[in-house]
Amino acid sequence: MTETLKPDLCAIGGGSGGLSVAAAAAAFGVPVVLIERGKMGGDCLNTGCVPSKALLASAKRAAVMRSGAPFGVTASKIDVDFGKVHDHVQRVIAAIAPTDSAERFAGLGVRVIKGTAKFKDRRTVAVGDIEIRARRFVIATGSTPALPPIPGIDEGPYLTNETVFDLTEQPDRLIIIGAGPIGLEMAQAFRRLGSDVTVLEAAAPLAKDDPECAAIVLDQLEREGVVIRSGVKVIHVKHASSRVSVTYEGASDEETVEGRYLLVATGRKPTTDGLDLAAAGIKYDRAGIAVNKRLKTANRRVYAIGDCAAGQLQFTHAANYHAGLVIRNALFRLPVKVNDDVIPWVTFTEPELAQTGLTEAQARTRGIKMRILRWSYHDNDRAQTERETHGHIKVITTAKGKILGVSIVGAQAGELIAMWTLAIAQGLNIRSLTGIVLPYPTLSEIGKRAAIDYFAPSLTSPWLRRIIAWLRIFG
Ligand SMILES: Cc1cc2nc3c(=O)[nH]c(=O)nc-3n(C[C@H](O)[C@H](O)[C@H](O)COP(=O)(O)OP(=O)(O)OC[C@H]3O[C@@H](n4cnc5c(N)ncnc54)[C@H](O)[C@@H]3O)c2cc1C
């Protein structure tokens, strides 16, 4: 017999976006249903952010142990037990899983349904024998790895983010297609754990980031032994027993690289299969579900958020941010809109690469008359004590000093970017950063030093020169 539910809100997908919607709605006492067909926690917990950062943490331990000599500390021998690395990654997932579990959400008052959601009409979703006629629906079905159309690629086994964290044996040679954040994080992790790694990229690596900052990450990876071939066209993949070979067109000749495993990290495909969006009058294409600035689809009862929504940044915190906007729109009728300029992102290689607000290139495209302020990690005392002097901060302001964007490459860039995200969201002027008292010695001082540089060109008056000199010495 069919059961019919009539909640105020129904979230489809129990990943970062769907869970945030359900938790917030439940906190406001709103009847809410959450539908998940796979594992609660979605990509981020099970096959994305969490396992990738846990693997990088193992790799970092290995790198730290190898690089102790300048500090006067050396380890006689470093062993990597890949089976135990795998166990560490899985234990981290298991430690976080209860927070995202169906049991926890049921305890919050959410009705959790396991199964695949499918629209029946413009206001009904069915999961098996259950029909949900909600006042509002939020689609948060995420994305899956996109497979490039390379001849032979699917004629044998290949890894993606959905399978790479299941490996229990160390690949002697790993080939990665795709030099975006995921490809390069995995490249550094596996290299540091002892694999030979070759990365093939058709365009420029880390193409969405500031090229000057990205170059510092690429330089470090190459120094660690990762082979990066960019601007190459992969011609075909051949699978043999326990081996794979990839042939690509380099600058002049055809070259072939051989490995034990192939990891495909060439972007993401929005998940829309099985939803029957057409039955609900929802428009979508290969880029995802079409939404307006309020994340509403062509059906006014239905929102789409996170990785499945077309044209949106694909990060966990972006999906959380979308969830907050939808709650305000759907429950409180507040006309809030998505603003990508306040969504930071981080590539968790070492050095880390963090971006918030506009990149220099974006500011140029918008025709903004800008100032670019910089400070190097080399000139920071804490960076010197840690021997982490590789990197810099780059701050983009208007001519009058309004902070528009910040790129940081260097140790803990992902932590340092938080302050600047707040500054941009609050529309702060660079002046407010010059007066701030920061603990010494910390990496955060690089930001204050860059801010002080804003005043450097106006040093015609001796009085101003004295102030800047004072700030540089005591600031
Ligand atoms: C290797 C890797 C590393 C990453 N690292 C980071 C990082 O460090 N920081 C960061 O911010 N982001 C990172 N990301 C991106 C982040 O994981 C995603 O942006 C985020 O998970 C998107 O959340 P979502 O809610 O849109 O989708 P998901 O978390 O993927 O959740 C979607 C859920 O919907 C379910 N579903 C799909 N269709 C249906 C249906 N018809 N019915 C019911 N359920 C359905 C799926 O089973 C899934 O559980 C990483 C991604 C990868 C792949």
Side-chain angles (χ1 to χ4, degrees), residues 184-192 220-221 224 349-350:
L184 291 186
E185 285 181 5
M186 291 301 95
Q188 189 174 50
F190 278 96
R191 178 66 198 136
R192 288 180 160 192
Q220 178 62 27
L221 260 62
E224 291 183 13
T349 44
E350 261 194 337

Side-chain angles (χ1 to χ4, degrees), residues 295-308:
L295 299 166
K296 262 191 187 173
T297 67
N299 176 338
R300 64 180 184 83
R301 289 178 192 282
V302 183
Y303 295 82
I305 66 171
D307 283 13
C308 69

Side-chain angles (χ1 to χ4, degrees), residues 30 62 69 80 94 145 163 246 276 283 296 313 318 343 371 411 417 450 464:
V30 172
V80 174
T163 47
V246 179
D276 200 356
K283 294 203 174 93
K296 262 191 187 173
L313 290 169
I343 305 178
R371 288 278 310 276
I417 207 74
L464 248 182

Side-chain angles (χ1 to χ4, degrees), residues 373-390:
L373 314 170
R374 297 162 197 275
W375 197 262
S376 157
Y377 272 62
H378 187 268
D379 297 326
N380 175 274
D381 293 359
R382 184 59 185 275
Q384 286 290 347
T385 64
E386 303 289 327
R387 291 181 170 269
E388 309 229 64
T389 53
H390 213 40

Side-chain angles (χ1 to χ4, degrees), residues 12-18 35-39 41-44 47-49 52-53 115-117 140-143 161 165 182 185 268 271 273-275 305-308 314-317 319 348:
I12 304 173
S16 310
I35 308 165
E36 170 55 56
R37 69 178 175 189
K39 286 185 182 171
D43 232 17
C44 184
T47 52
C49 331
S52 59
K53 267 78 254 179
T116 298
T141 48
S143 62
N161 70 294
F165 304 110
I182 296 173
E185 285 181 5
R268 314 281 307 163
T271 307
D273 64 283
L275 282 168
I305 66 171
D307 283 13
C308 69
Q314 293 185 318
F315 300 106
T316 284
H317 48 278
F348 293 90

Side-chain angles (χ1 to χ4, degrees), residues 33-304:
V33 165
L34 175 77
I35 308 165
E36 170 55 56
R37 69 178 175 189
K39 286 185 182 171
M40 291 287 280
D43 232 17
C44 184
L45 172 64
N46 300 293
T47 52
C49 331
V50 172
S52 59
K53 267 78 254 179
L55 189 72
L56 279 165
S58 285
K60 185 177 182 171
R61 289 296 173 285
V64 164
M65 289 172 79
R66 282 190 202 106
S67 60
F71 296 84
V73 181
T74 45
S76 50
K77 191 167 172 284
I78 298 158
D79 286 324
V80 174
D81 180 334
F82 204 80
K84 287 187 178 157
V85 171
H86 164 269
D87 294 349
H88 149 72
V89 171
Q90 297 305 320
R91 270 200 305 270
V92 173
I93 296 173
I96 300 174
T99 311
D100 291 356
S101 65
E103 294 71 26
R104 173 165 173 264
F105 275 76
L108 296 176
V110 177
R111 168 82 187 261
V112 181
I113 300 173
K114 189 153 184 53
T116 298
K118 183 178 175 182
F119 281 94
K120 275 188 80 176
D121 56 45
R122 292 183 68 86
R123 54 170 310 175
T124 316
V125 159
V127 189
D129 285 344
I130 305 174
E131 279 190 7
I132 300 119
R133 289 170 72 78
R135 201 166 64 78
R136 296 283 181 267
F137 290 93
V138 183
I139 306 174
T141 48
S143 62
T144 52
L147 193 64
I150 299 170
I153 197 165
D154 56 355
E155 286 168 14
Y158 59 89
L159 299 166
T160 66
N161 70 294
E162 292 178 350
T163 47
V164 69
F165 304 110
D166 295 334
L167 280 184
T168 50
E169 70 162 17
Q170 167 97 48
D172 57 348
R173 285 197 61 83
L174 175 67
I175 305 167
I176 301 177
I177 304 184
I182 296 173
L184 291 186
E185 285 181 5
M186 291 301 95
Q188 189 174 50
F190 278 96
R191 178 66 198 136
R192 288 180 160 192
L193 291 168
S195 303
D196 282 341
V197 179
T198 300
V199 183
L200 303 174
E201 166 61 53
L206 297 170
K208 289 188 185 138
D209 282 282
D210 180 85
E212 199 188 325
C213 295
I216 290 176
V217 174
L218 299 174
D219 177 54
Q220 178 62 27
L221 260 62
E222 286 181 329
R223 278 202 272 167
E224 291 183 13
V226 176
V227 177
I228 302 172
R229 298 273 176 265
S230 46
V232 300
K233 183 176 181 233
V234 177
I235 301 168
H236 59 74
V237 173
K238 279 193 184 146
H239 297 273
S241 69
S242 303
R243 297 312 278 176
V244 60
S245 67
V246 179
T247 302
Y248 61 93
E249 219 169 71
S252 49
D253 294 329
E254 252 182 47
E255 288 175 33
T256 297
V257 56
E258 294 209 350
R260 167 76 183 90
Y261 287 103
L262 171 66
L263 170 64
V264 180
T266 48
R268 314 281 307 163
K269 192 173 69 175
T271 307
T272 51
D273 64 283
L275 282 168
D276 200 356
L277 295 172
I282 296 168
K283 294 203 174 93
Y284 69 103
D285 60 20
R286 280 170 46 191
I289 300 173
V291 288
N292 65 14
K293 279 277 177 197
R294 292 181 191 166
L295 299 166
K296 262 191 187 173
T297 67
N299 176 338
R300 64 180 184 83
R301 289 178 192 282
V302 183
Y303 295 82

